[in-house]
Amino acid sequence: MASKIPEENLRPSYDDAETDESVKRGQQEKWTKARKADYDGDKNAKDNGPVSKKPRVDTRSPQLDADGNAIPKEKRLPKRKVAVMIGYCGTGYHGMQYNPPNPTIEATLFKAFVDAGAISKANSNDLKKNGFMRSARTDKGVHAGGNLISLKMIIEDPEIKSKINEQLPEGVRVWDIERVNKAFDCRKMCSSRWYEYLLPTYSLIGPKPGSILYNDIEESRIELPGVLDDDMESKTFWENLQKEIDETFTPEEIEAIKSYTPPPKDEFLDSEGLYLKVKKYKQLENAHRRKYRISQEKLTKFRSSMEQYLGAHNFHNFTLGKEFKDPSAIRFMKEIKVSDPFVIGDAKTEWVSIKIHGQSFMLHQIRKMISMATLVTRCGSPVDRINQAYGVQKLNIPKAPALGLLLEAPVFEGYNTRLEKFGYKAIDFSKYQDEIDAFKMKHIYDKIYKEEVDENVFNAFFSYIDSFNKVTGAQGEETADKTGAAVQKSIFEFLTARGIPEITPEPTKKEKKLANGTANDADVVTSKSESEVQLAATAETEEKACVQ
């Protein structure tokens, strides 16, 4: 009987941890005990002949099965460095990276490797022993059509891939296992990554009339005419909905529905009259959203908004904990595609697929990018607001729901060329595209569509945004130092006609010297701001990578 290793006893492997392979490549590993003695100053050790090695004694306690009996020791089999191409549905998991006691993709994979015999029982309690590494971490609930992990595995069995898949749940699959060289690091050698985000097009309908965000936008439209789009499409949508509401409910019922507050859980009755009217009101709204079909004009505006992310930019506002001057906030987006709309599911909801190809991404970056482009489109703001968001001014950009996000595949362009020179096969997910597409449709897309219909995830998100200023502290208050236009009226004021305040970055020391006339020739040559230099360097690096 195989031993059961509790998940809590597994020791995690971290991206920046020193691996066994990196140690073995060092000179110190090659020294014998006698040579170490020579190096440390024991000069007589050479003259006394070679030092005899002591026989290795295994002092480890034998592993026990469930009945307390000692498990016979396994035959030692060679381990090979491999890249494992995987796909998974992230629903029910707390992300990709091992994080006990929470269920994760890595914990599920590691257990399957052990049960299938790809990892020995002796190494079944330590990810570090196997050099476990992933090319991209995904957050809680995020899916992947393709991701890659690298580790040392026993692959003598030609049926090992099938045996691993037999041990895995249907929502996690291994596409292939390829040999790689010992120096392979799937995180560092991943040149770029493709992500996909699925968005219902009704998310691009303008804020609901009467909501706080709607009122802010309309007030700013009067103050600064001509800045925002005239969104007749959204206006027509809300007018048609209101017409049906007026035909279905009396004015008194509508007022009661809008003022409805759910009672405490122990007092709630789902048969209560007002609750049933509220439920019918919501169903009517949802039916109108499902029937919505985006116009070519609004789709073009959304595509134009997404295109503002192309190239190297300072994404400090699109993540957490990054300041404007932090060089690591600069990321390079290589390609962005927004599909034509498609209708799918029993509810006949219209969706678009957004694919983003970037060198690397920060925490929540994609969800904030999608959110910003969506908000700019639905509020009729100029697309240039996205470019302004790369500036010094700190903005509170909300995260779009995790539901629509999935990792399409990591890309290993540069490394694949070197792999083939060494006699290894290229890491190419496109060879399994048919399998991956079928898996995504069954285990990822269908779950996304169903959850959106059942939970109204995107409607709940944008309804919250439209009324966010009800939250304490969401609006600024006038003080002796700040009055009038200096007071932030709304946390989402950057979406109104007022826009994003222009703040000049604090000049560097060299720029101050230039301004004071005390600069030398070297200062003049290098007088660009640090951000401009970093942007240029990032763009140049990416250009070279594309050529290679």
Side-chain angles (χ1 to χ4, degrees):
M1 184 183 294
S3 62
K4 297 287 185 181
I5 305 299
E7 243 184 62
E8 292 78 3
N9 292 345
L10 284 171
R11 285 180 284 175
S13 170
Y14 297 99
D15 288 349
D16 57 354
E18 184 179 51
T19 64
D20 292 345
E21 293 297 340
S22 64
V23 173
K24 288 180 180 178
R25 290 195 300 273
Q27 186 62 36
Q28 185 172 344
E29 179 67 19
K30 299 177 183 177
W31 289 337
T32 62
K33 290 182 180 179
R35 287 176 183 164
K36 284 183 182 179
D38 291 342
Y39 186 81
D40 291 336
D42 187 356
K43 303 301 181 184
N44 296 324
K46 289 181 183 178
D47 302 328
N48 294 335
V51 177
S52 59
K53 293 184 178 179
K54 293 181 180 179
R56 186 173 178 179
V57 179
D58 189 352
T59 59
R60 291 177 296 180
S61 301
Q63 289 189 339
L64 305 178
D65 61 22
D67 299 323
N69 301 317
I71 300 171
K73 289 186 178 179
E74 297 173 284
K75 180 182 176 181
R76 291 178 65 86
L77 295 172
K79 293 185 292 185
R80 310 294 183 192
K81 186 70 175 285
V82 296
V84 183
M85 303 164 74
I86 60 172
Y88 50 86
C89 170
T91 302
Y93 293 96
H94 287 242
M96 170 72 178
Q97 192 167 6
Y98 180 76
N99 182 27
N102 300 311
T104 62
I105 300 297
E106 285 187 355
T108 301
L109 285 166
F110 192 78
K111 183 180 183 302
F113 293 160
V114 174
D115 292 344
I119 290 176
S120 67
K121 297 294 187 294
N123 292 333
S124 64
N125 67 339
D126 193 346
L127 272 70
K128 187 178 178 182
K129 284 183 181 178
N130 303 281
F132 212 96
M133 188 72 65
R134 84 289 308 160
S135 65
R137 285 179 289 191
T138 51
D139 295 336
K140 179 180 178 181
V142 176
H143 319 289
N147 201 350
L148 192 99
I149 59 173
S150 61
L151 72 160
K152 292 175 288 183
M153 273 175 43
I154 302 166
I155 55 171
E156 307 300 310
D157 186 346
E159 301 297 320
I160 192 62
K161 186 184 92 170
S162 300
K163 290 182 177 179
I164 291 171
N165 278 329
E166 287 173 6
Q167 301 296 331
L168 288 168
E170 282 192 357
V172 183
R173 293 289 92 183
V174 169
W175 306 127
D176 203 358
I177 301 172
E178 295 283 7
R179 284 285 306 277
V180 291
N181 67 332
K182 292 181 179 180
F184 181 77
D185 184 319
C186 67
R187 183 177 65 90
K188 293 179 181 177
M189 294 173 181
C190 176
S191 56
S192 58
R193 296 161 181 84
W194 275 100
Y195 278 87
E196 182 177 17
Y197 194 93
L198 298 172
L199 182 77
T201 58
Y202 76 71
S203 303
L204 300 170
I205 299 170
K208 186 175 182 178
S211 67
I212 293 171
L213 182 57
Y214 176 88
N215 292 337
D216 284 344
I217 290 171
E218 292 307 306
E219 286 175 14
S220 73
R221 196 189 294 273
I222 295 169
E223 291 175 24
L224 300 166
V227 176
L228 304 178
D229 297 340
D230 291 324
D231 189 359
M232 296 305 298
E233 183 176 334
S234 296
K235 184 179 180 181
T236 301
F237 171 87
W238 291 114
E239 285 177 350
N240 291 338
L241 173 60
Q242 189 60 47
K243 181 180 178 182
E244 188 166 348
I245 288 172
D246 291 340
E247 292 172 353
T248 308
F249 303 98
T250 65
E252 293 76 19
E253 286 174 332
I254 293 172
E255 188 63 34
I257 288 168
K258 290 182 177 179
S259 305
Y260 175 76
T261 302
K265 195 172 183 180
D266 56 347
E267 298 176 17
F268 176 75
L269 292 174
D270 59 5
S271 59
E272 194 261 326
L274 181 55
Y275 168 75
L276 292 176
K277 287 185 174 64
V278 170
K279 187 176 180 180
K280 187 176 181 180
Y281 184 97
K282 294 293 183 185
Q283 288 172 340
L284 199 153
E285 277 192 335
N286 290 334
H288 272 256
R289 289 190 177 91
R290 303 290 169 204
K291 288 189 289 186
Y292 172 76
R293 301 294 180 258
I294 193 170
S295 68
Q296 190 59 45
E297 182 182 1
K298 191 175 277 283
L299 182 61
T300 300
K301 172 74 178 282
F302 181 66
R303 282 176 170 154
S304 179
S305 299
M306 290 301 303
E307 285 171 3
Q308 307 308 306
Y309 296 122
L310 289 170
H313 301 290
N314 190 326
F315 285 94
H316 73 103
N317 272 322
F318 294 82
T319 187
L320 299 176
K322 296 283 185 184
E323 298 299 326
F324 173 75
K325 291 186 177 182
D326 189 339
S328 68
I330 297 172
R331 302 293 163 119
F332 187 89
M333 301 298 111
K334 304 175 78 169
E335 192 175 356
I336 294 175
K337 301 175 184 178
V338 179
S339 75
D340 289 333
F342 55 93
V343 177
I344 200 163
D346 295 337
K348 303 298 181 186
T349 306
E350 185 181 64
W351 297 73
V352 289
S353 165
I354 304 133
K355 293 189 177 181
I356 303 174
H357 185 195
Q359 177 195 15
S360 59
F361 298 90
M362 298 176 288
L363 181 66
H364 303 322
Q365 181 182 336
I366 294 174
R367 291 168 62 188
K368 283 176 175 275
M369 288 167 64
I370 296 293
S371 176
M372 182 69 171
T374 305
L375 290 170
V376 162
T377 303
R378 73 192 294 266
C379 295
S381 309
V383 296
D384 195 49
R385 293 283 165 84
I386 292 174
N387 292 305
Q388 293 171 343
Y390 304 138
V392 183
Q393 176 65 40
K394 199 71 177 171
L395 301 178
N396 189 335
I397 301 173
K399 303 188 297 288
L403 175 66
L405 181 62
L406 63 142
L407 174 64
E408 180 82 1
V411 181
F412 296 85
E413 291 171 334
Y415 191 70
N416 277 344
T417 305
R418 297 197 292 276
L419 267 179
E420 290 168 351
K421 287 180 181 178
F422 296 146
Y424 298 106
K425 293 180 182 177
I427 297 170
D428 183 9
F429 283 87
S430 65
K431 292 187 291 184
Y432 313 97
Q433 199 60 53
D434 290 344
E435 292 177 67
I436 293 173
D437 287 344
F439 174 83
K440 289 198 299 186
M441 185 57 69
K442 180 179 179 181
H443 295 284
I444 298 177
Y445 292 160
D446 283 356
K447 279 188 171 59
I448 291 174
Y449 303 144
K450 185 178 185 305
E451 188 172 342
E452 159 55 23
V453 172
D454 292 346
E455 306 293 335
N456 287 302
V457 175
F458 287 88
N459 174 38
F461 171 72
F462 288 107
S463 296
Y464 178 73
I465 296 300
D466 291 351
S467 59
F468 186 80
N469 272 10
K470 290 181 180 178
V471 178
T472 303
Q475 287 182 285
E477 296 181 1
E478 291 200 3
T479 64
D481 299 323
K482 283 188 177 183
T483 57
V487 179
Q488 178 179 269
K489 294 185 179 179
S490 166
I491 199 164
F492 297 129
E493 194 164 18
F494 61 86
L495 299 171
T496 69
R498 302 179 190 99
I500 299 171
E502 289 189 12
I503 298 178
T504 305
E506 187 179 339
T508 64
K509 290 181 180 179
K510 289 172 185 176
E511 288 170 337
K512 287 178 180 178
K513 286 182 180 179
L514 286 169
N516 295 332
T518 58
N520 54 33
D521 292 341
D523 290 328
V524 173
V525 173
T526 59
S527 61
K528 289 183 179 180
S529 72
E530 292 177 11
S531 293
E532 287 176 315
V533 172
Q534 185 66 30
L535 282 168
T538 304
E540 184 180 356
T541 302
E542 283 303 313
E543 201 172 317
K544 289 179 180 177
C546 291
V547 172
Q548 293 172 355

